[in-house]
């Protein structure tokens, strides 16, 4: 009986973990819309991203002081990992700042490549690793070969569809997979679009 209850609790915890990951990475996937939005309304989107980072930071600081903000605090709680409990949830900030910096620094094609790599590569890698990952890579804090392969494939496809350049797509996919597999926690959200945008810009 005790073993049955333990298994039920473990299954429930696993379900909650996966549900949170799906919710969190759906935000990553939605960021794939930003290059399209930037194309048609560059300045308003840049302003909106900066405003979003500022608003979220204020809301998070208030939440840490016991003042929950409707909608924002609920979304943060739904997306937060266990390691983020009772801490400032940094993911949305690094995600927005990475996209913002890439859009400000690089050309349209270059920042699109960087943002798509973040949206599809990093987003799908985590989901694939959680759902199908069995081969854990050493020194990566639990990241899996299945997740890395998904990351490589997603970045290669998105880069090729943007650039129509096979060599560039291979280089970007390899670099993006290397960055994603590093145990950077939320900093990969910031590094991936900037670094891969830079490679695309100067390739």
């Amino acid at each position: 009986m005790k073993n049955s209850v333990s298994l039920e609790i473990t299954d429930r915890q696993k379900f909650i973990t996966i549900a949170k990951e799906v919710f969190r990475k759906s935000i990553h996937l939605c960021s794939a819309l930003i290059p399209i939005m930037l194309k048609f309304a560059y300045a308003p989107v840049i302003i909106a991203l900066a405003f979003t980072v500022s608003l979220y930071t204020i809301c998070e600081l208030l939440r840490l002081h016991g003042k929950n903000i409707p909608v924002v605090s609920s979304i943060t709680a739904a997306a937060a990992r266990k390691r983020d409990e009772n801490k400032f949830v940094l993911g949305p900030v690094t995600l927005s700042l990475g996209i913002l910096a890439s859009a400000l620094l690089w050309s349209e094609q270059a920042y699109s490549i960087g943002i798509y790599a973040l949206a599809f590569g990093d987003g799908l890698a985590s989901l694939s690793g959680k759902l199908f990952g069995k081969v854990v890579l050493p020194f990566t804090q639990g990241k899996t070969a299945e997740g890395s392969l998904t990351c490589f494939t997603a970045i290669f496809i998105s880069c090729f569809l943007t650039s129509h350049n096979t060599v560039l797509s291979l280089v970007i996919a390899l670099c993006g997979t290397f960055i994603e597999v590093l145990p950077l926690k939320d900093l990969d959200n910031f590094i991936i679009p900037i670094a891969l945008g830079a490679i695309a810009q100067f390739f």
Side-chain angles (χ1 to χ4, degrees):
M1 183 70 175
K2 186 180 284 188
N3 287 341
S4 175
V5 172
S6 297
L7 283 171
E8 193 175 317
I9 291 170
T10 303
D11 287 343
R12 189 198 296 177
Q13 288 173 337
K14 189 175 180 181
F15 174 79
I16 291 170
T17 299
I18 290 173
K20 280 179 174 283
E21 197 66 25
V22 169
F23 180 74
R24 182 165 47 251
K25 294 308 176 182
S26 67
I27 298 171
H28 268 68
L29 293 171
C30 286
S31 66
L33 297 172
I34 291 178
I36 300 166
M37 295 163 65
L38 284 166
K39 186 173 183 177
F40 294 102
Y42 183 85
V45 173
I46 292 294
I47 292 167
L49 284 169
F51 176 76
T52 300
V53 172
S54 302
L55 178 64
Y56 174 81
T57 300
I58 292 167
C59 290
E60 265 299 88
L61 291 173
L62 289 172
R63 184 182 68 83
L64 289 175
H65 287 85
K67 298 176 181 177
N68 286 335
I69 309 301
V71 182
V72 178
S73 296
S74 300
I75 292 172
T76 302
R81 292 184 175 98
K82 191 167 184 62
R83 74 180 187 215
D84 294 325
E85 287 179 3
N86 303 315
K87 295 179 183 175
F88 188 105
V89 180
L90 198 59
V93 174
T94 55
L95 180 76
S96 299
L97 287 178
I99 291 170
L100 183 61
S102 183
L104 289 170
L105 289 169
W106 314 130
S107 66
E108 182 183 327
Q109 186 182 69
Y111 72 62
S112 296
I113 287 170
I115 294 169
Y116 289 144
L118 176 64
F120 297 116
D122 188 46
L124 294 176
S126 184
L127 284 177
S128 175
K130 285 281 190 301
L131 292 170
F132 311 112
K134 296 187 184 303
V135 182
V136 177
L137 299 172
F139 313 112
T140 62
Q141 297 182 357
K143 297 189 178 183
T144 65
E146 292 84 354
S148 293
L149 182 59
T150 301
C151 180
F152 177 87
T153 304
I155 294 176
F156 177 82
I157 292 171
S158 65
C159 184
F160 182 77
L161 291 175
T162 305
S163 67
H164 306 291
N165 185 321
T166 304
V167 176
L168 173 63
S169 300
L170 280 170
V171 171
I172 294 286
L174 284 169
C175 293
T177 303
F178 175 73
I179 296 169
E180 196 279 330
V181 84
L182 295 174
L184 297 171
K185 296 185 178 178
D186 291 316
L187 284 178
D188 59 354
N189 292 340
F190 183 72
I191 295 170
I192 286 172
I194 297 173
L196 300 188
I199 294 168
Q201 180 88 10
F202 299 110
F203 189 81

